[in-house]
Amino acid sequence: MTDALKRLSDEGVAIWLDDLSRKRITSGNLAELIDQQHVVGVTTNPSIFQKAISHGDGYEQQLTDLATRKVTVDEAIRMITTADVRDAADILRPVFDATGGQDGRVSIEVDPRLAHHTHATIAEAKQLAWLVDRPNTLIKIPATKAGLPAITEVIGKGISVNVTLIFSLERYREVMDAYLAGLEKAQAAGLDISRIHSVASFFVSRVDSEIDKRLDAIGTDEAKALKGKAALANARLAYQAYEEVFSSDRWAALDKAQANKQRPLWASTGVKDPAYKDTLYVVDLVAPGTVNTMPEATLEATADHGQVTGNTVAGTYEQAKAELDAVAKLGISYDDVVQLLEDEGVEKFEASWIDLLNSTEAELKRLAPSEG
């Protein structure tokens, strides 16, 4: 086994695990991944918690206590998920301290049903930050139109944010703008902006899934030759945008006040098409100052046979633009694809959250003590 994960870290890529469960915490598995697999952060989302709580173990005692107290199902879920995030944050605290707050982070998402409600998202983000009460937490806010002003407001209050569900280059630029505006707001309020951190979760594999489907429908040799290229091209052009924004005069002013760059985070990095190499969205997106959050299967595949050959983003921008242009020339609308993916992303997380509500409610009823 090569130490591809170490080489990835040495290239400036922070390796985060895209999964969390109570069993992973209590068994020592998370600590082991940090110690042996160079994992320096954890991301969660509604689908991850739905899977963990519905199919995992370790939750029965807390669910019994919550049922005895007759709490609402919404409150029960928040008590359970914030407990997991708090414990994971404590395990990652040494990494947080060693990296000056850059890594050692655990993300928790606002209720996905609030994705199109700015003020409710702000209120939920503040509540989650208070509930978890750990400095190494990131509150996840979706990059919907309603999410953008929420990002600015929450950053402006000194709360660190993971902006999620970014698919388009235009929206990514709006996200970076929202972050800078939040830093300026925090600075104007007298907060120490060196303590505020953010990542921007740019989704990768789903772009190929949708565009490949449309290329298959076209069916020409020209269309087939473009399969598996759009997602990498999109992500690489996102990194180009990141380099532009964080070398601007506006950033320079914040940089003087010890502000932190909002790092690009490659999300959805497990391949969906078995025809592609299982490390595609890791080894072909190596660039300094990025985060790659991987499901465990992708982490293991990279550790086992990932070929890390240095920076695979630098010098690719012209080719990336040409590949997206070629897709557009075949009649596939980029704007249509990225909007569809954002809408589907919100819907999928909402559906997972509702499944979680239903399964948790059933457990609370099952475990509720009989009256008397």
Side-chain angles (χ1 to χ4, degrees):
M1 185 182 285
T2 64
D3 202 347
L5 296 174
K6 182 181 186 304
R7 288 211 301 279
L8 201 59
S9 298
D10 291 344
E11 288 292 338
V13 179
I15 299 166
W16 290 9
L17 176 71
D18 192 28
D19 191 51
L20 186 64
S21 67
R22 190 153 299 176
K23 187 174 182 182
R24 199 181 278 286
I25 292 164
T26 57
S27 68
N29 172 262
L30 178 58
E32 189 177 286
L33 290 173
I34 295 163
D35 185 49
Q36 298 178 14
Q37 300 282 55
H38 308 280
V39 168
V40 293
V42 168
T43 49
T44 68
N45 61 45
S47 300
I48 284 169
F49 277 128
Q50 191 270 333
K51 181 182 168 193
I53 296 167
S54 301
H55 307 296
D57 53 23
Y59 296 99
E60 183 134 333
Q61 184 58 58
Q62 189 178 11
L63 279 163
T64 301
D65 291 345
L66 293 165
T68 304
R69 289 175 49 215
K70 296 187 169 71
V71 304
T72 66
V73 65
D74 286 274
E75 186 184 351
I77 287 169
R78 276 310 179 208
M79 292 298 105
I80 292 165
T81 57
T82 54
D84 280 358
V85 168
R86 191 180 307 116
D87 288 345
D90 288 344
I91 293 167
L92 278 154
R93 184 60 190 261
V95 177
F96 174 81
D97 292 337
T99 60
Q102 186 89 314
D103 288 306
R105 297 268 174 180
V106 186
S107 298
I108 184 168
E109 190 149 345
V110 297
D111 185 331
R113 295 171 298 177
L114 307 178
H116 302 296
H117 304 281
T118 302
H119 296 298
T121 294
I122 295 164
E124 170 98 342
K126 286 158 60 180
Q127 173 74 357
L128 284 174
W130 178 83
L131 271 174
V132 177
D133 193 28
R134 294 294 184 271
N136 50 330
T137 312
L138 290 171
I139 307 302
K140 287 180 89 171
I141 297 176
T144 55
K145 276 291 185 188
L148 294 171
I151 293 157
T152 296
E153 192 66 26
V154 172
I155 292 286
K157 293 185 182 303
I159 296 169
S160 294
V161 171
N162 175 344
V163 184
T164 188
L165 289 175
I166 309 170
F167 296 94
S168 88
L169 295 167
E170 181 185 359
R171 183 57 54 84
Y172 178 43
R173 286 185 181 274
E174 291 174 334
V175 164
M176 289 187 284
D177 181 71
Y179 174 61
L180 297 185
L183 288 177
E184 288 158 355
K185 198 164 189 170
Q187 189 178 32
L191 299 181
D192 178 1
I193 62 172
S194 72
R195 299 170 71 87
I196 303 170
H197 287 259
S198 183
V199 293
S201 295
F202 199 87
F203 279 54
V204 186
S205 66
R206 294 185 196 182
V207 174
D208 270 343
S209 297
E210 183 59 34
I211 288 182
D212 284 359
K213 187 168 69 178
R214 299 182 188 209
L215 290 168
D216 279 336
I218 293 167
T220 63
D221 289 344
E222 186 185 6
K224 287 174 185 171
L226 288 167
K227 285 185 68 179
K229 293 185 175 176
L232 289 176
N234 200 37
R236 286 165 171 173
L237 292 175
Y239 192 80
Q240 181 185 34
Y242 158 77
E243 288 185 313
E244 286 173 10
V245 169
F246 289 99
S247 60
S248 66
D249 291 343
R250 184 184 183 189
W251 169 250
L254 290 162
D255 192 33
K256 279 181 189 168
Q258 275 80 53
N260 299 290
K261 291 179 180 176
Q262 182 187 53
R263 289 183 293 170
L265 177 151
W266 310 129
S268 181
T269 56
V271 295
K272 304 286 194 283
D273 188 333
Y276 300 151
K277 64 183 179 185
D278 51 7
T279 60
L280 178 68
Y281 304 124
V282 178
V283 300
D284 284 18
L285 286 175
V286 177
T290 59
V291 178
N292 195 307
T293 185
M294 309 177 204
E296 191 166 22
T298 305
L299 183 77
E300 288 174 352
T302 305
D304 181 61
H305 53 264
Q307 299 291 314
V308 180
T309 57
N311 190 324
T312 47
V313 174
T316 63
Y317 303 148
E318 205 171 305
Q319 182 190 352
K321 189 174 184 313
E323 285 166 350
L324 287 188
D325 286 346
V327 168
K329 278 177 189 162
L330 291 174
I332 296 171
S333 166
Y334 176 85
D335 290 344
D336 180 62
V337 167
V338 293
Q339 189 58 57
L340 174 73
L341 290 172
E342 181 187 301
D343 293 343
E344 283 183 351
V346 172
E347 285 165 13
K348 282 175 185 171
F349 283 168
E350 276 187 13
S352 293
W353 197 253
I354 289 163
D355 284 347
L356 178 55
L357 285 167
N358 292 337
S359 57
T360 303
E361 188 170 37
E363 282 296 281
L364 290 171
K365 282 180 181 168
R366 182 178 74 83
L367 296 166
S370 54
E371 293 297 326

